[in-house]
């Protein structure tokens, strides 16, 4: 049906719908409904993946007790600002609640480092230090060292070449 107005008169044209047009219209409606369902499924899947990614980022900086007052924080993945920011509050809270005074941050699991990640790490280290915590870095590779220098890392930390040496240094009696 088609309706066209000319001044105050309407012209209505009625055309019988043939079966092919009706079939095509039904198929279009079916595809539209299926696309709507698919969009919802994709949105739900995206939300699940975002939650999983956030959890992976949170797990990339675990808090491992080595003694009553010392912890190891091994970092995993690439050192980006998001990794530090997602873990910062939890780590600060745990250090405060558990009265930690020494933290070993291990770089063995770190791949690439970007400038904002270095700035966020330096900020976190300063927060630890304001709480009276001594920071030690271990596992820093030549590539890490170049990136840290390139991005002007200036935190006042002690560096120990590897985690094994750090553990030996802190837990071997003389």
């Amino acid at each position: 049906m088609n309706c066209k107005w000319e001044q105050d008169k309407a012209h209505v044209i009625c055309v019988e719908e043939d079966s092919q047009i009706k079939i095509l219209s039904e198929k279009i409606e079916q595809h539209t409904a299926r696309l709507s369902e698919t969009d919802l499924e994709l949105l739900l899947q995206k939300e699940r993946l975002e939650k999983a990614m956030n959890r992976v980022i949170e797990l990339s900086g675990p808090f491992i007790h080595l003694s009553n007052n010392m912890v190891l924080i091994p970092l995993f993945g690439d050192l980006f600002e998001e990794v530090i920011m997602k873990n910062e509050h939890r780590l600060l809270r745990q250090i405060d609640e558990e009265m930690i005074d020494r933290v070993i941050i291990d770089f063995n699991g770190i791949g690439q480092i970007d400038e904002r990640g270095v700035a966020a790490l330096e900020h976190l280290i300063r927060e630890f230090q304001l709480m009276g915590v001594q920071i030690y870095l271990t596992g820093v590779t030549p590539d890490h060292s170049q990136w840290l220098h390139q991005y002007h890392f200036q935190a006042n930390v002690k560096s120990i070449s590897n985690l094994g040496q750090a553990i030996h240094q802190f837990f071997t009696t003389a």
Side-chain angles (χ1 to χ4, degrees):
M1 179 166 75
N2 187 6
C3 182
K4 184 176 179 182
W5 285 89
E6 286 183 20
Q7 295 176 353
D8 58 347
K9 293 183 182 178
H11 299 278
V12 177
I13 301 172
C14 296
V15 177
E16 184 178 338
E17 188 177 273
D18 86 355
S19 62
Q20 291 295 333
I21 291 177
K22 187 173 184 172
I23 292 170
L24 286 174
S25 293
E26 289 172 358
K27 284 188 179 189
I28 289 172
E29 286 178 25
Q30 289 171 352
H31 287 297
T32 301
R34 186 164 182 265
L35 284 173
S36 294
E37 289 174 14
T38 302
D39 284 347
L40 181 59
E41 288 173 18
L42 287 173
L43 179 62
L44 293 173
Q45 184 67 14
K46 178 183 173 232
E47 288 174 358
R48 284 192 292 267
L49 287 173
E50 285 175 351
K51 286 179 183 177
M53 280 302 298
N54 283 335
R55 185 68 179 139
V56 166
I57 289 170
E58 288 172 5
L59 293 173
S60 66
F63 193 85
I64 302 168
H65 285 271
L66 299 177
S67 71
N68 289 339
N69 63 346
M70 180 186 287
V71 295
L72 167 66
I73 301 174
L75 299 175
F76 298 103
D78 294 332
L79 184 60
F80 296 138
E81 180 182 34
E82 183 181 18
V83 171
I84 301 298
M85 301 306 289
K86 293 264 183 182
N87 288 289
E88 179 180 28
H89 180 72
R90 176 182 54 83
L91 294 172
L92 289 169
R93 181 180 37 79
Q94 284 180 290
I95 284 175
D96 179 52
E97 289 174 357
E98 299 177 30
M99 298 185 293
I100 302 300
D101 60 20
R102 290 187 288 180
V103 171
I104 299 172
I105 299 174
D106 186 38
F107 270 62
N108 275 312
I110 292 290
Q112 293 191 5
I113 299 173
D114 77 356
E115 186 171 7
R116 292 173 70 175
V118 169
L121 176 63
E122 192 169 1
H123 177 77
L124 179 64
I125 288 171
R126 286 194 180 122
E127 288 178 310
F128 287 164
Q129 291 170 332
L130 285 171
M131 297 169 69
V133 177
Q134 179 66 51
I135 306 298
Y136 302 87
L137 296 183
T138 64
V140 176
T141 67
D143 286 340
H144 295 146
S145 180
Q146 287 177 345
W147 282 322
L148 292 170
H149 179 73
Q150 176 184 346
Y151 299 136
H152 310 289
F153 181 76
Q154 296 179 0
N156 184 19
V157 298
K158 295 183 180 180
S159 186
I160 303 171
S161 63
N162 62 56
L163 185 56
Q165 284 182 348
I167 290 172
H168 180 73
Q169 178 179 328
F170 294 119
F171 296 102
T172 303
T173 56

